[in-house]
């Protein structure tokens, strides 16, 4: 298991970035990764990368939703339900 003890780093010089991501779990690091081209990014956390919930989750990816697809179709129409499914499938490809 990863060392989860927090480490304190003190900046000794000023830093600037286009994007500041707070947190270093899988969601935050994925966000920082998406900004990697064309933007400067700084990630801040009080733990090591992946040291919070990410360290203790199964982190499986799935396109299973709380609502069934026929319920989504009733709420958003056929095209809306298709769009939702397409977006979810595209996210799984990343």
């Amino acid at each position: 298991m990863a060392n989860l003890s927090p480490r304190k780093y003190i900046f000794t010089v000023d830093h600037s970035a286009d994007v500041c991501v707070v947190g270093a779990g899988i969601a935050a690091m994925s966000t920082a990764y998406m900004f990697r081209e064309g933007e400067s990014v700084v990630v801040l956390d009080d733990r090591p990368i992946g040291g919070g919930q990410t360290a203790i989750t199964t982190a499986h990816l799935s396109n299973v939703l709380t609502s069934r697809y026929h319920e989504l179709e009733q709420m958003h129409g056929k095209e809306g339900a298709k769009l939702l499914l397409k977006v979810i499938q595209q996210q799984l490809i990343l």
Side-chain angles (χ1 to χ4, degrees):
M1 183 176 222
N3 178 6
L4 299 181
S5 61
R7 296 186 181 119
K8 304 277 183 191
Y9 294 100
I10 299 172
F11 290 115
T12 57
V13 295
D14 289 340
H15 290 273
S16 64
D18 298 317
V19 177
C20 177
V21 178
V22 178
I26 190 67
M29 295 307 291
S30 296
T31 300
Y33 181 80
M34 297 298 286
F35 281 105
R36 75 190 182 284
E37 293 181 19
E39 304 287 347
S40 59
V41 180
V42 64
V43 177
L44 304 175
D45 201 327
D46 63 349
R47 294 182 180 201
I49 294 172
Q53 286 296 313
T54 297
I56 58 174
T57 183
T58 59
H60 67 279
L61 299 174
S62 173
N63 65 350
V64 176
L65 301 172
T66 305
S67 300
R68 297 180 185 269
Y69 289 108
H70 73 272
E71 294 171 332
L72 294 171
E73 189 174 330
Q74 289 174 349
M75 290 187 283
H76 304 289
K78 192 170 198 159
E79 292 306 310
K82 283 182 181 179
L83 179 60
L84 179 59
L85 177 60
K86 181 179 178 181
V87 168
I88 291 168
Q89 289 172 334
Q90 287 174 345
Q91 293 303 311
L92 291 175
I93 292 169
L94 291 176

